[in-house]
Amino acid sequence: MERIYLDNAATTPLSEEVIDAMVEVMKTNYGNPSSTHSLGQDAKVLIENVRRQVADYLHVSPAEIIFTSCGTESNNMIIKSCVDHLGVERIITSPMEHKCVAETVLDMKKRRGVEVVYLRPDKKGDFDLVKLEELIKSSDKKTLVTLIHANNEIGNLLDIKKVAEMCKLNDVLFHSDTVQSMAHMEMDFSQIPVDFASCSAHKFHGPKGSGFAFVRKASGLKGIITGGPQERSLRAGTENVCGIVGLGKALELSLDHMEQYASHMKEIKNYTRDRLLAEIDGVKFNGRSAEENTSLYTVLSVLLPFKDPMIGLKLDMKGIAISQGSACSSGASKPSMVMMMILDEEEMEDCTPLRVSFSHLTTKEEIDSLIDALKEIAASFNIEKTNVQHR
Ligand code: PLP
């Protein structure tokens, strides 16, 4: 059976060029980057080249890039160290965060007694930034604001510049989980005064197990893994040289083709949206997902007008790999927090969320197959009788 992959927000297939670059490193650069001999130093040079490349992309200094094993580790390190080393006593966050932020914040509440304040979204999944400023100003406690940049379930984009400027003006720390947006859009941290951000290579055709944290210079952040002095002592442990090189190659390819990839994915997303609207009566889209400039072009979050908890399995049996929400919550029996925030009771009862997520490799033919499969499933629910209206 031909496989169709529409779960690119969960992970992306490795690019051939990335595989080649990594294999080359595995074969030839086996030195430990901490060793002083030339084999070690060759490996070190490879890492430092990628650090420079990432720093150029973000318009920051190489010393502000800390390589980690993934987005989860980067977010953990930042949040935990803000509490343990920077004296953060209060965290303002949202119910729209990825589990690796949400659970880490809760852990800090349980184990460190940190006060946690939630900024709730409206039904479109947007945040009221006036309310955010009120929350920031409502306490003298040392505060960290952590808000996701591009939501992994519905694609809503935060005005990261505005929030960063607000945090700076009010003297609070700001971390944004940028895992879904890194390498998919321009990111100029010389203009966006964010303190901390995160990245994961497997979201842009790089390897799993390779990411980085952006840590603003002189922030005072320390690592949570202790040991050797690697990564300026912020992340002990021998570096994943081939993973870092893979991240660098994937970033290079994304940046070289950014315009072309973005325009292809926008076209595919609009095509998917328009075909769904034309052919599935009562279909809706979650959050800002169906809009062009306020949501990430890689994600279309669909609300199907029938209840089918088995939809992922049914599509998989037809050769289509797709998630209902984030990969981390798709196996869970509970609906995702994001959906609970933006859907009303009737929609939760009667509808099925489906996250279609694209890459530059996605074709219209693959979308046609998805639409055919969804129409077949919808027909079995006799959806013509639905009275769910378009939002
Ligand atoms: N943050 C967001 C928004 C994500 O979508 C993900 C992955 O799904 C992560 C963090 C975690 O990244 P990783 O898989 O590299 O741990």
Side-chain angles (χ1 to χ4, degrees):
M1 187 175 17
E2 200 197 323
R3 311 285 318 173
I4 294 176
Y5 188 71
L6 294 171
D7 200 13
N8 291 281
T11 195
T12 49
L14 278 166
S15 301
E16 282 296 327
E17 292 95 324
V18 170
I19 297 172
D20 291 347
M22 290 175 70
V23 168
E24 179 63 23
V25 171
M26 282 189 264
K27 283 182 177 166
T28 55
N29 293 92
Y30 52 85
N32 185 325
S34 297
S35 299
T36 49
H37 51 65
S38 51
L39 263 177
Q41 288 310 292
D42 288 350
K44 178 95 183 142
V45 167
L46 291 177
I47 295 176
E48 293 316 312
N49 286 345
V50 179
R51 200 188 309 281
R52 157 65 60 195
Q53 182 196 348
V54 172
D56 287 349
Y57 164 52
L58 296 178
H59 302 264
V60 299
S61 131
E64 296 172 303
I65 305 303
I66 308 301
F67 291 114
T68 65
S69 69
C70 59
T72 298
E73 186 193 325
S74 303
N75 288 333
N76 264 262
M77 167 187 146
I78 291 162
I79 295 167
K80 287 179 176 163
S81 180
C82 276
V83 174
D84 284 349
H85 308 117
L86 303 187
V88 162
E89 300 169 288
R90 187 173 77 126
I91 299 178
I92 301 175
T93 186
S94 86
M96 308 293 275
E97 303 304 307
H98 186 272
K99 263 193 181 306
C100 69
V101 168
E103 291 297 320
T104 306
V105 167
L106 279 180
D107 184 48
M108 291 296 92
K109 179 180 173 175
K110 269 189 229 137
R111 293 195 300 117
R112 300 280 190 268
V114 169
E115 180 190 344
V116 179
V117 183
Y118 289 95
L119 179 67
R120 294 174 81 85
D122 61 19
K123 288 291 175 191
K124 275 280 178 199
D126 290 333
F127 300 114
D128 178 349
L129 298 189
V130 174
K131 176 76 185 160
L132 174 62
E133 190 154 30
E134 275 169 31
L135 289 177
I136 289 173
K137 288 183 165 155
S138 67
S139 168
D140 290 335
K141 284 184 182 170
K142 175 111 184 177
T143 297
L144 168 72
V145 172
T146 174
L147 291 174
I148 192 165
H149 182 208
N151 188 277
N152 52 303
E153 286 189 53
I154 56 173
N156 278 34
L157 286 168
L158 179 78
D159 189 339
I160 189 174
K161 186 167 196 292
K162 200 165 176 180
V163 175
E165 282 165 354
M166 180 190 292
C167 289
K168 192 173 165 68
L169 201 70
N170 288 284
D171 204 20
V172 297
L173 293 167
F174 176 44
H175 160 242
S176 188
D177 175 350
T178 46
V179 164
Q180 289 289 342
S181 50
M182 282 272 184
H184 291 289
M185 54 178 68
E186 299 293 345
M187 207 79 85
D188 184 352
F189 288 173
S190 72
Q191 300 302 311
I192 302 171
V194 61
D195 294 292
F196 312 109
S198 47
C199 173
S200 180
H202 73 94
K203 304 293 183 181
F204 50 95
H205 308 277
K208 293 165 186 64
S210 180
F212 67 81
F214 162 72
V215 176
R216 181 79 67 188
K217 208 182 282 167
S219 66
L221 204 86
K222 291 190 167 69
I224 53 171
I225 299 177
T226 45
Q230 292 93 347
E231 296 300 300
R232 292 170 180 80
S233 296
L234 264 86
R235 206 275 183 175
T238 302
E239 299 88 337
N240 173 8
V241 185
C242 79
I244 293 170
V245 167
L247 183 154
K249 183 48 101 179
L251 181 66
E252 178 193 318
L253 292 168
S254 293
L255 300 186
D256 283 353
H257 301 98
M258 189 178 275
E259 231 173 275
Q260 175 198 339
Y261 287 177
S263 124
H264 174 75
M265 280 183 259
K266 282 177 189 171
E267 194 186 326
I268 290 279
K269 179 170 164 169
N270 290 344
Y271 179 75
T272 313
R273 180 197 60 201
D274 295 346
R275 280 214 61 191
L276 283 168
L277 280 173
E279 298 182 47
I280 298 194
D281 187 31
V283 76
K284 295 193 277 188
F285 301 99
N286 301 311
R288 300 234 165 246
S289 182
E291 297 168 21
E292 218 169 80
N293 297 323
T294 49
S295 86
L296 195 64
Y297 54 77
T298 53
V299 176
L300 181 65
S301 177
V302 183
L303 193 64
L304 295 164
F306 51 86
K307 185 77 174 173
D308 190 357
M310 302 303 285
I311 195 146
L313 193 61
K314 286 181 186 171
L315 289 170
D316 196 32
M317 285 165 68
K318 291 173 189 288
I320 302 173
I322 198 162
S323 291
Q324 285 193 251
S326 72
C328 308
S329 60
S330 58
S333 53
K334 277 201 316 188
S336 87
M337 180 58 84
V338 170
M339 290 303 154
M340 288 201 280
M341 284 291 126
I342 60 170
L343 300 183
D344 58 34
E345 236 173 83
E346 196 190 332
E347 289 169 326
M348 293 289 287
E349 277 295 304
D350 302 337
C351 302
T352 308
L354 192 70
R355 180 183 70 178
V356 193
S357 52
F358 315 99
S359 82
H360 62 279
L361 302 169
T362 312
T363 64
K364 284 191 180 164
E365 289 69 34
E366 289 176 323
I367 300 301
D368 291 340
S369 300
L370 170 71
I371 306 288
D372 287 347
L374 288 177
K375 276 166 67 177
E376 214 177 293
I377 296 169
S380 70
F381 285 88
N382 199 15
I383 65 136
E384 296 76 17
K385 295 207 175 92
T386 185
N387 55 7
V388 182
Q389 297 299 309
H390 291 236
R391 202 179 256 170

